Amino acid sequence: MDLFVQIAIIAAGIVVGIFIAYALIAYFKKIVRRTTDHGVGIKLIQLISLPFIFLVVLIAGSTLFSATKLGDQLDIDTSVIGGILYIISLSWLIINAIRGIKVYVLAKYDISTKNNLKARKIHTQLSVLERMLIAIVILIATAIILMTIPQIRKVGVSLLASAGIAGIIIGFAAQKSIALILAGFQIAVTQPIRLEDVVIIEGEWGWIEEITLTYVVVRIWDKRRLIVPITHFIEKPFQNWTRTSAEIMGTIYIYVDYGFPVQAMRQKLTAILEETPLWDGQVNVLQVTNLNEKSMELRALVSASDSPTAWDLRVYVREQLIRFLQEEYPQFLPKGRVHLENQPETRR
């Protein structure tokens, strides 16, 4: 068979393979569009489309390349290259399928809602699990590719005798990396933190933005990012304000003179909370929590549906209580007192 004819047959087969792959993708998209959550299904198909087309083209090309015996005519051994390409395409398809499954599952759990505890739990587990599975797929694919290359396989066999010593050395060198990965797995299972949890760590207040296998990104309230090793959340204490629910309480401290009528401020606090949508209607407390020689400390305890709302509520209530104190009872603002005694006049 003429060389040009062989190449033409292989090229035609590849074109037919591409056409079949696109036809199958279009058919599945048509089926998915009939479902209620077709947007997620379309996104899933888009994720696996490119590796699927590559795999179909590879199958068509390798099959026709073998059938036409073009490799024998050109004296080219394509078994190693073909095997590597198959491993790459299958690994690519598996990785995108893992990502697609994550997208499909997470579409059912909206993390932007108020009561999002279960959604944050699922998001956290799948995010860490996705990274672990992808890392495992890449590791296995790389190992198989290396073993398909005869030269590397021979080197591997010759080094097998010293694998025990090398393993010990690598173990010592990679113990921190292994500890980080194990900590990531532990966090995915036990979940001391979840995505969008409100935490205080290293004196900073913010939200858990990203959890990887080795580090956690904390989004600080002023839009800075704090990068923390994932082992920190296993080995050291930190505050998690949304561990069991998104609801949170806030405190406001006001300092007044001893003569101030506390009950009047209690009534004002209730009126302030009832007129703002920031309050969730749960907690409304005003108490005298401390005294000193100059003033009384009043603590207002209020609640909100989540931490950003609680922050806004605290600021709003603080401003309103200060205005109430300034306008209605300015004489009871904290003040210092000086007592002067009349001293008898001394005779000259």
Side-chain angles (χ1 to χ4, degrees):
M1 187 181 295
D2 186 67
L3 179 62
F4 178 78
V5 175
Q6 291 174 318
I7 296 174
I9 291 173
I10 294 172
I14 290 174
V15 172
V16 172
I18 294 174
F19 176 79
I20 293 173
Y22 272 104
L24 287 172
I25 291 169
Y27 175 73
F28 284 118
K29 283 184 178 180
K30 185 177 180 181
I31 294 175
V32 168
R33 285 194 180 96
R34 298 173 184 172
T35 61
T36 54
D37 55 346
H38 61 275
V40 180
I42 294 296
K43 191 171 183 178
L44 175 59
I45 292 175
Q46 288 174 346
L47 277 171
I48 64 174
S49 293
L50 199 56
F52 175 72
I53 293 170
F54 182 78
L55 183 61
V56 170
V57 169
L58 183 62
I59 293 172
S62 62
T63 302
L64 291 174
F65 194 87
S66 176
T68 58
K69 297 182 179 180
L70 181 62
D72 296 338
Q73 187 171 342
L74 298 176
D75 194 20
I76 299 174
D77 184 11
T78 60
S79 59
V80 175
I81 298 175
I84 293 174
L85 290 176
Y86 270 112
I87 295 168
I88 292 173
S89 62
L90 287 172
S91 302
W92 186 11
L93 184 62
I94 292 171
I95 289 171
N96 280 26
I98 292 171
R99 290 172 175 164
I101 292 171
K102 176 191 171 185
V103 169
Y104 179 78
V105 174
L106 293 187
K108 301 178 180 179
Y109 299 93
D110 188 4
I111 202 171
S112 63
T113 58
K114 293 286 185 182
N115 188 14
N116 60 358
L117 183 62
K118 184 177 180 181
R120 290 189 289 110
K121 179 179 180 180
I122 299 298
H123 275 254
T124 302
Q125 287 178 332
L126 288 183
S127 295
V128 177
L129 184 61
E130 175 203 21
R131 289 184 174 91
M132 292 185 67
L133 290 177
I134 290 176
I136 291 171
V137 170
I138 292 174
L139 182 63
I140 293 175
T142 303
I144 295 175
I145 288 173
L146 292 176
M147 292 304 294
T148 58
I149 302 174
Q151 293 82 356
I152 295 179
R153 191 190 309 129
K154 291 177 182 178
V155 173
V157 172
S158 64
L159 292 176
L160 190 60
S162 59
I165 298 174
I168 294 173
I169 296 172
I170 293 172
F172 275 110
Q175 59 181 340
K176 283 191 174 293
S177 299
I178 295 171
L180 289 172
I181 294 173
L182 292 177
F185 179 75
Q186 185 176 348
I187 282 179
V189 175
T190 61
Q191 295 200 340
I193 55 172
R194 304 182 184 94
L195 292 175
E196 294 302 316
D197 264 348
V198 179
V199 297
I200 296 180
I201 183 168
E202 298 292 328
E204 300 284 1
W205 178 72
W207 295 264
I208 300 296
E209 184 176 58
E210 183 182 359
I211 302 175
T212 71
L213 290 179
T214 55
Y215 64 88
V216 175
V217 180
V218 181
R219 185 176 72 253
I220 308 302
W221 65 272
D222 58 0
K223 299 189 181 299
R224 290 177 294 136
R225 299 298 189 271
L226 181 65
I227 312 299
V228 185
I230 200 165
T231 52
H232 183 101
F233 295 92
I234 303 297
E235 300 171 352
K236 297 181 181 180
F238 64 95
Q239 295 184 41
N240 188 335
W241 288 10
T242 53
R243 179 70 177 87
T244 55
S245 81
E247 298 174 354
I248 193 169
M249 290 190 292
T251 56
I252 303 99
Y253 291 97
I254 302 291
Y255 296 90
V256 297
D257 193 68
Y258 273 87
F260 180 79
V262 178
Q263 187 60 31
M265 185 168 282
R266 285 197 179 99
Q267 295 172 358
K268 183 61 179 178
L269 175 62
T270 301
I272 292 170
L273 293 176
E274 288 177 348
E275 69 183 14
T276 175
L278 299 173
W279 185 48
D280 63 1
Q282 299 296 320
V283 180
N284 170 18
V285 178
L286 182 73
Q287 296 173 320
V288 179
T289 54
N290 199 5
L291 301 170
N292 58 38
E293 67 278 6
K294 294 181 180 180
S295 62
M296 296 190 299
E297 179 186 78
L298 305 182
R299 186 192 67 178
L301 192 62
V302 297
S303 59
S305 58
D306 51 50
S307 57
T309 307
W311 173 265
D312 293 337
L313 179 62
R314 290 172 60 197
V315 172
Y316 176 76
V317 170
R318 186 182 295 113
E319 291 175 354
Q320 296 301 314
L321 290 180
I322 291 174
R323 178 180 298 176
F324 170 72
L325 182 60
Q326 291 171 338
E327 294 178 352
E328 301 294 333
Y329 299 96
Q331 68 274 25
F332 296 124
L333 288 168
K335 58 177 68 73
R337 292 178 172 84
V338 178
H339 180 66
L340 299 176
E341 293 184 357
N342 291 328
Q343 299 292 332
E345 292 184 4
T346 57
R347 295 181 179 178
R348 294 182 180 178

